[in-house]
Structure formats: structure tokens, C-alpha cells
Amino acid sequence: MHSAFYQLARFMAALGGLILTALMLMTSLSVLLRALGFGPVPGDFELVEAGIAFAIFAFLPWCQMNAGHATVDLFVPLFPRVVNRWILAFWEVVFAAVLVLIAARLYEGMLGKMNNGETTFLLQFPVWWSYAASVCGAVVAAVVSVYVALRRVMGALGGQDTLPAGGGAGH
Amino acid sequence: QEVTLKFHQFLPQQAPIPSLVLDVWAKKVEAESGGRIKIEQYPAMQLGGKPTDLMDQVVDGIADIVWTLPGYTPGRFPQSEVFELPFVAGDAEATSRAYWELAEKYMIDGEFKDIKVLGLWTHGPGLIHSKTPITSVADLAGVKLRAPTRVTNMMATSLGATAVGMPVPAVPEALSKGVIDATIIPWEVTGSIRLSELLGNHTEFPGAPLYTAAFVMAMNKDVYAGLPDDLKAIIDANSGLEFSAMAGRVSQEADGPARQLAVDAGNTIVELTPEQIEEWKVAAQPTIDTWLTEITEKGIDGAALLEEARAAIAKHSATN
Amino acid sequence: MSNIDIGLWSFPVLLLMIFLRAPIGLAMLVCGLGGLVLVTGGPNIVLAKLKSESYSIFSSYSLSIIPMFLLMGQFATLGGMSQALFKAAESWLGHRKGGVAMAAVGACAGFGAICGSSLATAATMGQVALPELRRAGYSGGLSTATLAAGGTLGILIPPSVVLVVYAILAEQNIAKLFLAAFIPGILAALGYIAVVAIYARLYPETVGSRPRQPYAERFRALFRVWPVLVVFLVVVGGIYLGWFTPTEGASVGALGTGLIAFLNGGLTRKTLVNSFLSTASNTAMIFIIVFGAAVYNSFLAITQVPQEISNFVVGQGYSPWTVLILIIIFYLILGCVMDSLSMILLTIPIFFPVIVQLDFGMSPEHLAIWFGILVLIVVEVGLITPPVGMNLFVINAMDRETPLSATYHAVSFFVASDLLRVALLVAFPSITLFLLP
Ligand code: NA
Ligand code: NA
């Protein structure tokens, strides 16, 4: 059960990494073509925008799975373990609720873009395509965060940590 | 006051259109309402989102009023594009009057049905700014030309240039770094980005502007509907044909001082003759043909719309 | 309750949530969404906003530089550049008193030139240099503190993720900010090396020694770090000279370091996936903060609180220098408990409008750049100030024998050098603006 969600989050992160790498290659190619006087890859900016949005949504589940978000742990040592477990579980539940809301609203946004026929400037592909890709990432993020929240609540109830407690600001 | 309206747009408050059109409109409405309407202005996307989100923001009520370009959301306002086609626009006031007239007839209940349109206008005659002098279409071959909208990007390609799409604020850097060699932009915008210091040639199309871009100022439909009748009347009195015409005229008037900067800088301003412009019209024709095909596929009689737009612009140009 | 009251009340609520260990981005998001519901009179506008807001921010071209820089740092590690840098620095400095720690600082500076992230620099160089320092007989406190402080060079020396975010918030040219950060970044590295030298004299028992290397060996080691120099020059130089946009520069840099890693045999399927996972975690963390801050700031804009604060401060008639110094002290205090990116995102929309209205006798652009560099440094000090300093935690966690208190003691010397540098840069803006046209 855990392994399925873990692998799902890992798969999405790796997929996002592949897309990021593809954008890196495309952008570098665009720089090269421009330097050689051929002009950039058509619509390179648009492709970066669509691709990077998907990549970031695809990165979210892995961050949820590993509790990778930045927190201030100033008062952690002051509270007993059980309180800290409940605090952790509480915020994971809130996070899950917010991510579910984001995914649902993004889906609504995608439907809107489908109905109004909006396209990009240069390549003129429908904007809802990019939204649809991002919705996939957002839905996985929502699903994984709900799973993580449930695990944290169970952990608090059962009195033990079953997932990494994480926390860290990586920049 | 009774009503507070959030007015959201993408330019800094001191830019020509925000200061000379939008702010003037807001102050006038506030004054005429005796303070019962308060308009909070949020320039430079302060309420969040990207400029391309403004249209959805006013539809959804995130902002009560927005000023944006129909062209920021390509595909949603196909009929408005008729005024952006190459060599369709006249001077801005005449084109803006024609835009409002046609919009009342075809677009207000059509492509603009989700918003309460307050004003529709276009900027002054569009022209080319370039590093190397451009007089004939051949001069544009392979030139990396920045264009602002879907239609103008199509046009750049028709004219043999390499179209590069980017927002206005990115233009100075892109120019100085050789990412682009030329840009189309109205004179009015060149002042704030000091364009005349970055390149030395400007190609004007007197009497037959190369292109223009369409603007829309709009209000959330429900918010408008919820106003008491006397306040509605104040909004109405300040909107529509005359407001649009004024906005177009002011936009074009802002061209003059910016053009003078280029003159003062000793730049070359090429004014093409009607004979020279003929070649450009022929070269740009594929853009019009493509647009006609596309709009026909959407079930709109594009040819008739184009004809009517041209006739209306001619009519208003004659009476100006 | 008026909108301004709601806006002002949101600050203590936000801080309370953060101190109760809410993820910082989530806390801003919840406060922003909740505040918007209150000031717009219901959930409808918030729900409408959420249809596009997440996509709009995640699809930002200018922010796409962040994952690119993170990927570049990952590849640089896989390419063995961190090792090569440390070996080169050690061969030149290792025999001096405290020389291995000085070498660690130098290597951090070198890695910072190709990595946009402070924590990544600390973590990467920590893995390479910490075992070496301990083996050479350096105390745990000095070793961990040196690397924690050295890690901040990842952000102080361009390229820098925090500077990218400042550039976007303050609408400034990224290339010029990178250029302006260069001299202060070098000063930071020199200051840390001086700290090591002083510390080694004050506490001689905390440092070990290494044999002097022959010059042939030194130059051989130095020669191995040429890829770092090439990547740095191409990326930062290319962005400045305008060969490409910052995002394009980061892409080219990631491609370059990726190729080096591939040629060195460091890039396998397994390490590639791991670098993706690490990039994923850090990118997601950063963008949740960016998203939360964007929503929170659009809520604050509606409440008019930033304008009111700005009007209030300007109306007090304090001297510009007083205001600047108060802001810096505020950052230093906040930095004790908060992380650097969150601080920038949260406060720049409030402080920047105040600063640009003050007269420091320089052009608006120079003012914005100078202020940006000062803010960059003071928020980075937060990474090594107790009680909450991310770099301290990361490095200390790598060395289980060293108590956090020992790290705190040694790091206080590095913090002192940071404060001295801030004072210097405040007093002499030309140090920062020297390289600018
Ligand atoms: Na760096
Ligand atoms: Na701290």
C-alpha cells in the first residue's frame, strides 16, 4: 500500500525531471540556433511555460511524501512528542485539503479554457492542453497528500511515526 | 460611499494610458457619483495573476473592472482581430469609433457576452522600429522581429521576418543583446522604454498604418447589474462610443512626444510613400487570407466583417 | 473590522501558524485565502482566483530559472566538481594554520559560482569536506560552522535563487544584480577565511595540520577545476552580456554541468533519478512558498496595508539611514527563526516601496540593486543564526559527534564577520555598485 503511493510520487518526480531536462535541451538548442543566425526554436517561451508548470505540479507529490516543506521548528523541543505528532498531522490534513482544493479548481479552470478556445500566441495550441497536463500533476499531489495526511493521523493515534518527519529549506 | 470597484490592469500607473485615460475615467465617475462610487486602482497586476489572466478576472469578479487586450487571449475574440489585420486601421480615433460601432452590432452580445464592455479602442498607427533601415519588404528578410499579438506574429511571418513573441518590458534588453533586431510597437510605448536610444531607424506607413492592437475596458456583468439605476446611468454616460473615441485619440496624441524623442536623437524616420506601401500590402495579404479562412471555420462571415470594418473606418476618418 | 484591520491582524495569525510548525508556504496560502474570503465578502472570488492562480505562477518563464539552477547544482555534484574544488583549494591552503577550513570556504565559494542554492552548497560541500576536516584533526564545532557559513556563499555569490526572486519582486535586472553581488560575495569568502585564521589563533587546539604540497601538485589540482570556471563564466557572463536570458543561461549551465558529469562517468540512470528527486523536492518546496506568498500579497494589496505602512514610515520623517538600519535589524531578528526565501517574499512587497521613496543620493536603479544585495546578505545570515538556521541543522546532522552548541559557538564568529560586512556595505554603497555601468 505504502509502496504504491511512494512509487507514484517518485515516478511523477522523475517524470517532471525528464520534462525539465527536455526544456533545458530545447532552450539550449534555441540559444544555439539563435547564435547561428537561424532564430530561436519557434514558441520556445511558450513551451517552457507549459512544461515548467507541469514539472512543478509533478514535483509536489514527492515533496509531500518526504515532508520536504520549509518549517520553523523553534518550539518543537518544547512540546512532548505526542503533541508534535498531532501538530504534524494537523498541518498535513490542512495541506491535503488545500491541495485537493487547488486540483479541483485547476480542473475547473481547464474546463473554462476548453470552452473559450483560448490558444497561445505563437504556436497557437489550446491553452487547456497545458492546463490538462498540470491537472494530472495536481491530482496526484492531492491524492498523495491525502494519503500522507491519513498516515500522519494514524501515526498520531497509534503513537508512532511511520513516515519521515523531514522539514528543510533547500535553497 | 456605496460601491467600491477594484480596477485592475497591467501597466504602471504613470504610463500614458493608465494616467491619461483610465485614471481620468475613474476620477470622473467618482466625481459624478458624488462619492458614492469609489474606484480603487490596482496597476501593474497588483491583484495577482498574469496580464493574460485579466479577462478571466473580470468575468469571475476577481476584479470589478479591467483594462486589457482582447489579443492577450488568442482565440477568444476572433471578431476584434479584424481591426488588427495589416493595413486595416486608420488613425486611432476613427478606428476606435468603428470598433465600437461594429462591436455594438456583432460583438457585445457575441464574443463579449460575458463582460460589460465599457470601452473599445486601438492605439495610434503601428510602425516598425529597427536597427537597420527598412523601406522595402525585402529589407525585412530574416530580421528577428518582435510582435505583440497573434495576428501581428502572423503578419511578421508573411512579411518574411522571423517572428519573436515577447512582452514589451523584455524588448529593450532583447534589442541591446541582439535577441531581436526590430520590433513593432506604437510610438507612445517607445518613450517609457527609451527605444529611440537603442535603435536608429523607424519605418512609418503614413495614411495606411501597418497594424494596430485592440484594447478593451470592461466591467464584471453582475457587479454592473447590481448597481442602483442612477449609478448605472453614470457608468453608461462615461462609457461607449465617445469614451472609446476619446481613449483612441489620447493614445494617438501620446505618440507625438515619443516620436519627437527619436527625432531629437537624430534617428532616421522613413516615411513610406503610397507607392512603396503597395508592395507591403501585397506581402501582408496572406495574413488576411489566413484570418479569413480561420474565422469562416468558426461560422463567421469574415469577408463581410472586414468590408464593414474598412467602410466604418473610412467613414469616421472622413468626418474627423 | 475594516480591511486594514484584517490585513494587520493577518501578521500575528501568520506568525502563530508558522511557530506552530505550519509549513511556511502553506501558512501564507491559508492566511491569504482566508483573508481574501473576509475582505471580498465570501468564498466566490477566492474560488474563481484558484482556477488559474496556481497555473499562472507555476508557468512563470522568469521563475523557471529556479529549477534549472537546482538541476545545474545537482549535475555539478555528480560531475565531481565539489571534490575537485576542495582538492584544489586544499593543495594551496591546507598546510596553513586552519588551512583545511580555509580550503573548505574557498571550495564553497567556487561551488557557489555554479550553484544557485545555499543549502545545496552546504550539503554538497559538507559531504566532501566534513570528513576531510575531521580526519585532519579539526574540531567538530569549527568544521560544521565553517561549512554552514561557507554554504551561504552558494547564495551570496551569483548565480543566486534568492536574488532571482528579489529581481522579480522589485522588477530589477537580474544580470545587474548578479554583477553587483559579485564583490560582496568575494568579500564574504575572504571574511570567512579571516575568521578561520583568527579562530585558529584563539583556539589552536581546534585545528589540525596537513603537509605542504609541491607547486606541481597544486597547479595540477587547480587545473582540474577549469570546468567550474568555464560554466561560471558562460552562465553569469553570458547572462550579463546578453547572449541569453537568465533562464536560457541556467539551461545552458545545466546542460554544461550535465555533460561534464556524463563525461566523468558520474551520470548514470540511478544518479540521474536521484538528482531529479532532489531537484523535485527543493523546487516544490520553493514554489509552494512562492505561491503562498503571491496569494498572501494579493490579499495584502486589497487591504491597502503595504501602502499604509509605506505612507506611515515616510510620513514619520525619519532619516533614510535610520529606516534602512531598522529594516536591516528587523531582517536579522526575523532571520533567527525564519527562512530566507520566505522573508524576501513576505517583506519585499512591503519594504521596497518604502525604500524607493527615500533619498540616499543615488539613482533609483542603483538604490534598488544596493538594497537588494544588503537584503540578500542579511537574510542569508539567518541561515546560520541560532536558534533556527537551516545550514546549521543540515551540517550538524552530518556529524553526530558534535553537539549543536559547539556549532553555535564557532558560527558566532562567522556571524560577526557577516555583520561587519553588512556595516561596510551600508557605509560604502560603491563597493556594491562598483562593477555596474
Ligand atoms: Na551561487
Ligand atoms: Na536563523
mmCIF file of all heavy atoms in Angstrom, chain B residues 11-19 43:
data_model
loop_
_atom_site.group_PDB
_atom_site.id
_atom_site.type_symbol
_atom_site.label_atom_id
_atom_site.label_comp_id
_atom_site.label_asym_id
_atom_site.label_seq_id
_atom_site.Cartn_x
_atom_site.Cartn_y
_atom_site.Cartn_z
ATOM 1 N N LEU B 11 -0.225 47.812 -16.554
ATOM 2 C CA LEU B 11 0.842 48.811 -16.701
ATOM 3 C C LEU B 11 1.015 49.610 -15.410
ATOM 4 O O LEU B 11 0.093 49.716 -14.604
ATOM 5 C CB LEU B 11 0.523 49.781 -17.842
ATOM 6 C CG LEU B 11 0.692 49.263 -19.272
ATOM 7 C CD1 LEU B 11 0.456 50.385 -20.257
ATOM 8 C CD2 LEU B 11 2.062 48.650 -19.487
ATOM 9 N N PRO B 12 2.204 50.197 -15.212
ATOM 10 C CA PRO B 12 2.377 51.103 -14.075
ATOM 11 C C PRO B 12 1.436 52.303 -14.202
ATOM 12 O O PRO B 12 1.094 52.712 -15.315
ATOM 13 C CB PRO B 12 3.829 51.564 -14.188
ATOM 14 C CG PRO B 12 4.476 50.722 -15.218
ATOM 15 C CD PRO B 12 3.422 50.069 -16.021
ATOM 16 N N GLN B 13 1.056 52.868 -13.068
ATOM 17 C CA GLN B 13 0.055 53.930 -13.067
ATOM 18 C C GLN B 13 0.481 55.157 -13.878
ATOM 19 O O GLN B 13 -0.345 55.846 -14.447
ATOM 20 C CB GLN B 13 -0.251 54.338 -11.618
ATOM 21 C CG GLN B 13 -1.457 55.234 -11.444
ATOM 22 C CD GLN B 13 -2.758 54.540 -11.841
ATOM 23 O OE1 GLN B 13 -2.990 53.388 -11.523
ATOM 24 N NE2 GLN B 13 -3.610 55.247 -12.563
ATOM 25 N N GLN B 14 1.819 55.415 -13.963
ATOM 26 C CA GLN B 14 2.251 56.643 -14.632
ATOM 27 C C GLN B 14 2.379 56.493 -16.145
ATOM 28 O O GLN B 14 2.685 57.461 -16.837
ATOM 29 C CB GLN B 14 3.564 57.153 -14.015
ATOM 30 C CG GLN B 14 4.759 56.217 -14.153
ATOM 31 C CD GLN B 14 4.799 55.159 -13.054
ATOM 32 O OE1 GLN B 14 3.794 54.937 -12.379
ATOM 33 N NE2 GLN B 14 5.931 54.487 -12.887
ATOM 34 N N ALA B 15 2.145 55.288 -16.702
ATOM 35 C CA ALA B 15 2.203 55.102 -18.159
ATOM 36 C C ALA B 15 1.073 55.907 -18.812
ATOM 37 O O ALA B 15 0.077 56.249 -18.157
ATOM 38 C CB ALA B 15 2.093 53.625 -18.504
ATOM 39 N N PRO B 16 1.211 56.252 -20.117
ATOM 40 C CA PRO B 16 0.226 57.142 -20.745
ATOM 41 C C PRO B 16 -1.237 56.698 -20.604
ATOM 42 O O PRO B 16 -2.062 57.490 -20.144
ATOM 43 C CB PRO B 16 0.666 57.158 -22.210
ATOM 44 C CG PRO B 16 2.126 56.894 -22.169
ATOM 45 C CD PRO B 16 2.340 55.961 -21.013
ATOM 46 N N ILE B 17 -1.565 55.482 -20.986
ATOM 47 C CA ILE B 17 -2.988 55.108 -20.949
ATOM 48 C C ILE B 17 -3.537 55.057 -19.527
ATOM 49 O O ILE B 17 -4.592 55.638 -19.247
ATOM 50 C CB ILE B 17 -3.250 53.808 -21.745
ATOM 51 C CG1 ILE B 17 -3.000 54.100 -23.237
ATOM 52 C CG2 ILE B 17 -4.671 53.293 -21.511
ATOM 53 C CD1 ILE B 17 -3.320 52.979 -24.179
ATOM 54 N N PRO B 18 -2.831 54.424 -18.560
ATOM 55 C CA PRO B 18 -3.349 54.484 -17.191
ATOM 56 C C PRO B 18 -3.519 55.914 -16.670
ATOM 57 O O PRO B 18 -4.534 56.215 -16.026
ATOM 58 C CB PRO B 18 -2.296 53.720 -16.384
ATOM 59 C CG PRO B 18 -1.720 52.766 -17.361
ATOM 60 C CD PRO B 18 -1.698 53.483 -18.682
ATOM 61 N N SER B 19 -2.562 56.808 -16.943
ATOM 62 C CA SER B 19 -2.678 58.143 -16.351
ATOM 63 C C SER B 19 -3.608 59.057 -17.144
ATOM 64 O O SER B 19 -4.315 59.866 -16.560
ATOM 65 C CB SER B 19 -1.294 58.783 -16.222
ATOM 66 O OG SER B 19 -0.704 58.938 -17.499
ATOM 67 N N PRO B 43 -2.727 49.044 -10.344
ATOM 68 C CA PRO B 43 -1.914 48.946 -11.559
ATOM 69 C C PRO B 43 -0.939 47.777 -11.450
ATOM 70 O O PRO B 43 -0.793 47.157 -10.388
ATOM 71 C CB PRO B 43 -1.168 50.282 -11.579
ATOM 72 C CG PRO B 43 -1.064 50.671 -10.147
ATOM 73 C CD PRO B 43 -2.296 50.125 -9.461
#
